C-alpha cells in the first residue's frame, strides 16, 4: 500500500473488523489505490499502536458492539482522528455515520459496482466528501432522528423480501422445479419497481378477495401466512390513507 506523508499518518484508513463489509471496503480501497490497514481483536499489534498512524478509523463490526467499542477506544487516539461507522441506525457524537445503501455478500464486486453505491450520512455532520475525499459515490443526508426508521425500511425491503424469495425457491425445489424457473419473474418484479409508477400486480392490486381467501387457506400450515395477512393489512391501510389524502 502507498504511504500518506503527513503528520505521522502512514495510511488513510484503519479498518476495524474483518467481516463481509470490511472485506468489501478493503477491496474497494485496493481498487482505488487507497492506503489502509486492518485491525481485529486477534491482531498481534495493539489497537492504539496501529491506529495512531491512520488518518481515519473506520469501525466495521456488529451493530450491537459498535457503541461500546468506539466509547472504549476513542480516547486512546488523538482527538483529531476521524471515527467513522457504517451502521444504518446508530448515531453518536463520537463517530461519523456513513451507511452504504447496498447488500454485501461473500462475493466481492468490481469497481463499477462499488462506485455506484449510494451512501447516506447524517445532516449537520461531516459530508461524505469530507470523510472519503478519494471516492465519488452519490450520497444524501438524513436527520439523525430518522435513522432508525430508515434502517427498518432497508431491512424490510432487502432482508425480508430475500426471505420470502427463499421460501418460494425452496417450494419450487420441493416440487422438483428449478429455482431458475422464477428468475425472469424476479427480474420483472425488480424492473417494474424501478421504472413503473404503479408496479404492483396480481390479486391484491385487483382486489380479488376470493383468490386471496384461497391463498390464506393454502398457507394455513406455513409460517408465512401471517406475513401475507400483515402485508394485506398494510396495503389496505395505505390505500385508505391515499384516498383521504387525495380528498383533501
Amino acid at each position: 500500500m502507498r504511504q500518506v506523508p503527513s503528520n505521522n499518518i502512514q495510511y488513510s484508513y484503519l479498518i476495524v473488523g474483518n467481516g463481509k463489509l470490511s472485506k468489501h471496503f478493503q477491496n474497494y480501497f485496493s481498487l482505488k489505490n487507497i492506503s489502509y490497514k486492518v485491525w481485529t481483536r486477534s491482531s498481534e499489534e495493539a489497537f492504539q499502536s496501529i491506529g495512531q498512524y491512520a488518518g481515519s478509523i473506520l469501525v466495521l463490526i456488529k451493530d450491537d458492539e459498535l457503541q461500546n467499542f468506539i466509547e472504549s477506544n476513542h480516547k486512546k487516539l488523538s482527538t483529531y482522528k476521524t471515527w467513522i461507522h457504517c451502521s444504518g441506525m446508530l448515531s453518536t457524537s463520537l463517530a461519523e455515520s456513513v451507511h452504504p445503501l447496498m447488500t454485501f455478500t461473500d462475493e466481492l464486486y468490481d469497481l463499477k459496482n462499488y462506485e455506484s453505491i449510494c451512501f447516506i450520512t447524517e445532516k449537520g455532520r461531516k459530508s461524505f466528501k469530507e470523510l472519503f475525499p478519494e471516492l465519488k459515490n452519490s450520497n444524501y443526508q438524513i436527520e439523525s432522528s430518522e435513522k432508525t426508521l430508515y434502517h427498518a425500511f432497508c431491512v424490510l425491503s432487502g432482508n425480508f423480501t430475500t426471505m420470502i424469495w427463499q421460501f418460494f425457491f425452496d417450494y419450487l425445489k420441493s416440487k422438483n422445479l428449478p429455482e431458475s424457473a422464477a428468475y425472469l419473474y424476479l427480474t420483472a418484479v425488480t424492473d417494474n419497481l424501478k421504472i413503473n409508477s404503479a408496479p404492483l400486480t396480481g390479486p391484491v392490486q385487483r382486489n380479488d378477495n376470493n383468490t386471496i381467501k384461497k391463498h390464506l387457506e393454502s398457507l394455513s400450515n406455513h409460517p408465512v401466512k401471517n406475513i401475507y395477512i400483515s402485508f394485506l393489512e398494510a396495503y389496505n391501510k395505505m390505500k385508505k390513507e391515499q384516498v383521504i389524502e387525495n380528498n383533501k
Side-chain angles (χ1 to χ4, degrees):
M1 293 179 290
R2 66 182 177 84
Q3 301 297 300
V4 183
S6 73
N7 298 328
N8 279 341
I9 293 175
Q10 297 180 8
Y11 45 92
S12 299
Y13 300 92
L14 173 61
I15 299 176
V16 178
N18 200 33
K20 292 178 183 178
L21 183 56
S22 171
K23 289 175 181 175
H24 278 277
F25 263 99
Q26 292 173 47
N27 191 41
Y28 191 10
F29 286 171
S30 295
L31 291 170
K32 294 287 289 184
N33 194 31
I34 298 171
S35 60
Y36 69 89
K37 281 193 175 183
V38 178
W39 184 88
T40 69
R41 288 188 174 89
S42 60
S43 296
E44 293 183 2
E45 193 169 0
F47 172 76
Q48 185 175 358
S49 297
I50 191 173
Q52 64 180 321
Y53 298 112
S56 298
I57 313 298
L58 182 55
V59 187
L60 304 178
I61 59 178
K62 293 180 180 180
D63 280 11
D64 289 348
E65 300 173 1
L66 267 174
Q67 184 92 31
N68 183 59
F69 180 88
I70 293 172
E71 290 179 351
S72 300
N73 292 281
H74 196 271
K75 292 182 179 179
K76 295 180 180 179
L77 298 177
S78 166
T79 56
Y80 296 103
K81 298 289 182 185
T82 298
W83 288 68
I84 308 169
H85 70 81
C86 289
S87 169
M89 190 172 69
L90 176 65
S91 178
T92 171
S93 61
L94 299 179
E96 302 293 333
S97 169
V98 180
H99 183 252
L101 191 47
M102 183 59 167
T103 180
F104 298 97
T105 64
D106 291 324
E107 182 179 352
L108 300 177
Y109 306 140
D110 59 21
L111 182 59
K112 182 179 179 181
N113 275 333
Y114 286 124
E115 291 184 333
S116 299
I117 296 173
C118 174
F119 286 84
I120 306 299
T121 60
E122 295 181 59
K123 285 185 178 179
R125 305 294 298 274
K126 288 186 177 180
S127 68
F128 179 82
K129 194 63 179 176
E130 289 177 291
L131 299 172
F132 297 103
E134 311 93 338
L135 305 181
K136 59 180 183 181
N137 296 70
S138 61
N139 54 91
Y140 301 93
Q141 296 180 328
I142 61 173
E143 298 286 353
S144 300
S145 59
E146 284 293 316
K147 290 196 67 179
T148 301
L149 179 58
Y150 155 78
H151 194 243
F153 277 118
C154 288
V155 173
L156 281 167
S157 59
N159 299 81
F160 288 178
T161 56
T162 297
M163 293 179 194
I164 293 172
W165 276 101
Q166 286 179 321
F167 277 127
F168 186 28
F169 289 157
D170 289 343
Y171 167 78
L172 292 175
K173 286 185 284 188
S174 74
K175 303 304 176 184
N176 296 318
L177 299 172
E179 65 179 51
S180 59
Y183 286 174
L184 182 59
Y185 177 38
L186 173 57
T187 300
V189 169
T190 303
D191 289 344
N192 282 341
L193 281 166
K194 291 190 290 186
I195 64 177
N196 197 321
S197 60
L200 189 64
T201 63
V204 176
Q205 183 268 330
R206 295 191 301 267
N207 200 29
D208 290 339
N209 291 322
N210 190 48
T211 299
I212 292 171
K213 179 181 177 182
K214 291 181 178 179
H215 284 172
L216 292 174
E217 291 173 355
S218 71
L219 290 168
S220 59
N221 296 317
H222 200 284
V224 298
K225 179 179 179 179
N226 288 336
I227 297 176
Y228 197 126
I229 293 172
S230 295
F231 277 135
L232 285 174
E233 293 174 347
Y235 176 69
N236 290 328
K237 182 180 180 181
M238 181 182 68
K239 282 201 307 181
K240 290 180 181 178
E241 291 176 349
Q242 287 177 340
V243 170
I244 294 173
E245 184 65 26
N246 292 336
N247 290 333
K248 285 184 178 178

